[in-house]
Amino acid sequence: MRTWHPGLRGRAARQLRRAWRYGPPVILAASFAVLIVLGALLLWLPVASVDGLSPWQALFTACSAVTVTGLVVVDTGAQLTLFGQAVVLVLIHLGGLGLMTFAALTVMALGGRFGLRGQRLVREALDQTSPGDVLALVRHVALLAFTLEAVGVALLATVWVPEMGWARGLWFSLFHAVSAFNNAGFGLLPESLSAWAGHPLINLVITALFIIGGLGFTVVVDLWRRRRFRALTLHSKLTLVGTLVLAVGGGLLVLLLEWNNARTLGALPVGERFWAAWFTAVTPRTAGFNTVDTAGLGVPAMLLVMFLMFIGGGSNSTASGIKVSTFMVLLLSTRAFLMGNAQTTIFRRAVARDAVFRAHAVVMLSLILLALAGFILVVLAPKQAPLDVFFEAVSAFGTVGLSRGITADLSAPAQGILMLLMFVGRIGPLAFAYALARPRPAKVRFTEDQVQIG
C-alpha cells in the first residue's frame, strides 16, 4: 500500500516519522500555525492593503481568518485591497474546511492514495472516530461546500448586483457567501449587514449558509443519505434537535429582551424586528455577522449571546465552541444522574460513556481557559468594561467574531490573548490539551473510593 508520503527518503522521511509520534492533533495545530504565518506575510505585503498593515495587524487578521473568527483590527472592506480581501477569503476557506481536507483533495487530484496514517490525520481534522471511507467523506465535504457557496452567490447576487453593479456586486456576493458558509463573519462593510436587517432574502440566505455549514458535514451527509429523522444517527439527531431549540428559543428571547431597545430592535419597523431577532439569535453559533449593533445589546441579551457563542455549532463543521452535541450530552448526562439512571439515554439509544467523559472534559477545559483568559484580559484592559472584555473573550474562543467594538482598542498583549483563544477554539480545547500532554493509556487500575460531591 502506498503511504501518504510517497517518494520521501532519508532525512525527510525520518522527520515525518518523528512528527507522527506527536499525534494528529499536534500536526493539525502546527498546520494551522504555519498557515497563519504565511497568511500574515501575504497580508503584510504593500499590495494587500491601502495604507499598509503593521506586522501585528497582518498577523491578527490572518489568525482571525484561518480560525474563521471575524474579529478585526482593520476595516476589511476599506483597508484591504482586492488582493488582500482575496487572501482573507482563501484563508477562510482553508481554515473553515480544514487543511487536511484540502490536502486530501490535492492528493486525490494528483492520483495519489492515502495510507492508514494519512487517513487517521484526515479523520482527526474532520473529527471522525470510525475508520470508514475518509476520502468519500472528503468528496462529499468538497461537493457540499462548493455547491452551497455557488447557490449562495447566485441568490445574493440578485440583490447586490442591481445595487452595486456587476463587478462589486458579484465580489460582494462571493465574499459573503464563502464567509457565511465557513462561519467566518468577515464582511466588507464596517456595519456588517445592518443595511439589510429587514431584507428577507439576505436574512434567509446568509443564515441558511452558516446554519448548514455549522451543522457538521457528517450530519448533512447523514441527512442526504437517510432522508428520515428516525433513520439518522444519534449524533445527527442530537445536533439537529439542539440546533433547532437553541435557534428558536434564542430568537424568542432576543425578541422579548430587545423589543423596546432603541439601539437594536426598537429602532426598526415592527416587521423587521422579527428578522433581526432571528439573525441575532442564530449568528452566535460562530457566524459573526450582525444586522443590529452588537454594542447596543442590553446586558440580558448580551449574556444570552455569550451563552450561545460558548455552545457554538456542530462537530466537524466550520463552526467552533464546545459544540451543540457536547452541550446536549452534558444535559442528558445530568438528567440521567438526577434520575438515578446508570446510562445516558435518548431516542432509545445510550450515549457511550467515553462520549460523556469527553463532553465533561471539553466543557471544563473551556470554562477554565475562558476564566483564566478573561481575568488576564480584564487586567490588561482596565479602561474597558469587564463585561465587554469577557464578551470579546467568549467571541474569540467560539471563533464567532461578534464584538462590542473594542477589539482594535485593546493593547497588543490583550490582542495576543484573543489570538490564542481563537487558535485554541478552532482546533478544539480537548485536541489542544492532547497536543500538549500527549496522554498515554494507564497500565495500572486502582481501587475506587468515594469522594463527597456537592
Side-chain angles (χ1 to χ4, degrees):
M1 178 183 294
R2 289 181 65 184
T3 63
W4 180 48
H5 45 281
L8 288 179
R9 295 291 186 273
R11 182 179 178 183
R14 289 194 300 272
Q15 289 177 342
L16 186 58
R17 286 195 296 268
R18 190 180 302 115
W20 268 109
R21 297 173 186 173
Y22 293 93
V26 177
I27 299 177
L28 290 174
S31 300
F32 272 90
V34 170
L35 183 58
I36 289 171
V37 173
L38 292 177
L41 292 175
L42 289 175
L43 291 173
W44 190 30
L45 295 174
V47 70
S49 59
V50 176
D51 300 320
L53 299 182
S54 69
W56 184 257
Q57 289 174 327
L59 181 63
F60 190 96
T61 304
C63 181
S64 184
V66 172
T67 59
V68 292
T69 302
L71 288 175
V72 295
V73 292
V74 296
D75 188 335
T76 307
Q79 294 297 321
L80 297 185
T81 62
L82 183 61
F83 174 80
Q85 293 171 13
V87 170
V88 168
L89 206 62
V90 172
L91 294 178
I92 288 173
H93 235 312
L94 289 171
L97 296 185
L99 284 172
M100 294 306 103
T101 306
F102 275 90
L105 289 172
T106 302
V107 172
M108 292 164 57
L110 295 176
R113 295 182 179 180
F114 270 176
L116 295 178
R117 290 182 174 180
Q119 293 194 31
R120 180 188 169 201
L121 186 55
V122 179
R123 282 204 308 272
E124 191 73 28
L126 296 174
D127 199 20
Q128 294 295 289
T129 55
S130 60
D133 189 352
V134 175
L135 295 185
L137 179 60
V138 170
R139 294 188 190 98
H140 284 112
V141 167
L143 180 63
L144 170 70
F146 295 125
T147 300
L148 287 176
E149 288 173 354
V151 172
V153 171
L155 292 174
L156 293 174
T158 62
V159 176
W160 285 332
V161 166
E163 290 185 12
M164 306 176 185
W166 278 102
R168 186 165 186 260
L170 285 176
W171 176 246
F172 210 80
S173 301
L174 174 63
F175 191 95
H176 285 84
V178 172
S179 183
F181 180 77
N182 288 279
N183 280 245
F186 274 88
L188 296 179
L189 293 176
E191 65 274 14
S192 190
L193 300 175
S194 297
W196 300 275
H199 198 293
L201 182 63
I202 298 298
N203 276 274
L204 288 174
V205 172
I206 294 295
T207 56
L209 284 172
F210 63 65
I211 287 175
I212 295 173
L215 282 177
F217 301 117
T218 51
V219 174
V220 177
V221 170
D222 195 25
L223 277 170
W224 177 260
R225 289 175 174 173
R226 309 195 186 195
R227 308 295 174 90
R228 294 183 299 111
F229 183 81
R230 293 182 59 184
L232 298 177
T233 63
L234 181 58
H235 169 75
S236 296
K237 290 178 180 179
L238 288 178
T239 301
L240 291 171
V241 170
T243 298
L244 180 63
V245 170
L246 290 172
V248 175
L252 293 176
L253 284 174
V254 170
L255 199 64
L256 177 64
L257 295 171
E258 294 292 305
W259 182 265
N260 293 318
N261 187 345
R263 298 182 62 187
T264 55
L265 301 188
L268 301 173
V270 173
E272 295 185 7
R273 297 183 192 184
F274 292 92
W275 285 115
W278 160 256
F279 200 100
T280 303
V282 294
T283 195
R285 65 183 293 108
T286 83
F289 293 105
N290 61 281
T291 55
V292 297
D293 183 9
T294 305
L297 292 173
V299 173
M302 184 168 62
L303 293 174
L304 172 63
V305 170
M306 291 172 67
F307 172 72
L308 295 173
M309 290 193 299
F310 180 72
I311 295 174
S315 298
N316 53 76
S317 71
T318 57
S320 298
I322 64 169
K323 306 300 172 53
V324 173
S325 55
T326 302
F327 176 68
M328 294 294 289
V329 169
L330 196 66
L331 290 180
L332 293 172
S333 63
T334 302
R335 185 194 67 173
F337 172 78
L338 294 176
M339 296 181 66
N341 295 331
Q343 288 184 313
T344 300
T345 59
I346 187 71
F347 300 123
R348 297 185 178 183
R349 292 289 187 274
V351 180
R353 287 177 60 87
D354 177 65
V356 175
F357 282 127
R358 284 172 61 90
H360 284 267
V362 166
V363 173
M364 182 55 65
L365 286 170
S366 301
L367 289 174
I368 292 173
L369 176 65
L370 276 175
L372 180 60
F375 175 79
I376 296 174
L377 285 172
V378 169
V379 173
L380 294 175
K383 295 182 179 180
Q384 303 292 343
L387 196 55
D388 289 348
V389 174
F390 269 100
F391 188 94
E392 300 287 316
V394 178
S395 180
F397 170 77
T399 69
V400 180
L402 292 176
S403 174
R404 299 282 288 182
I406 66 172
T407 308
D409 298 328
L410 296 175
S411 64
Q415 291 174 355
I417 296 295
L418 291 181
M419 284 195 287
L420 178 62
L421 286 172
M422 289 189 282
F423 186 82
V424 175
R426 184 66 188 118
I427 67 174
L430 200 62
F432 189 72
Y434 179 92
L436 294 178
R438 285 188 293 158
R440 294 184 177 89
K443 297 182 179 180
V444 179
R445 295 178 62 88
F446 296 95
T447 303
E448 293 184 352
D449 205 344
Q450 291 294 325
V451 176
Q452 297 297 321
I453 302 296

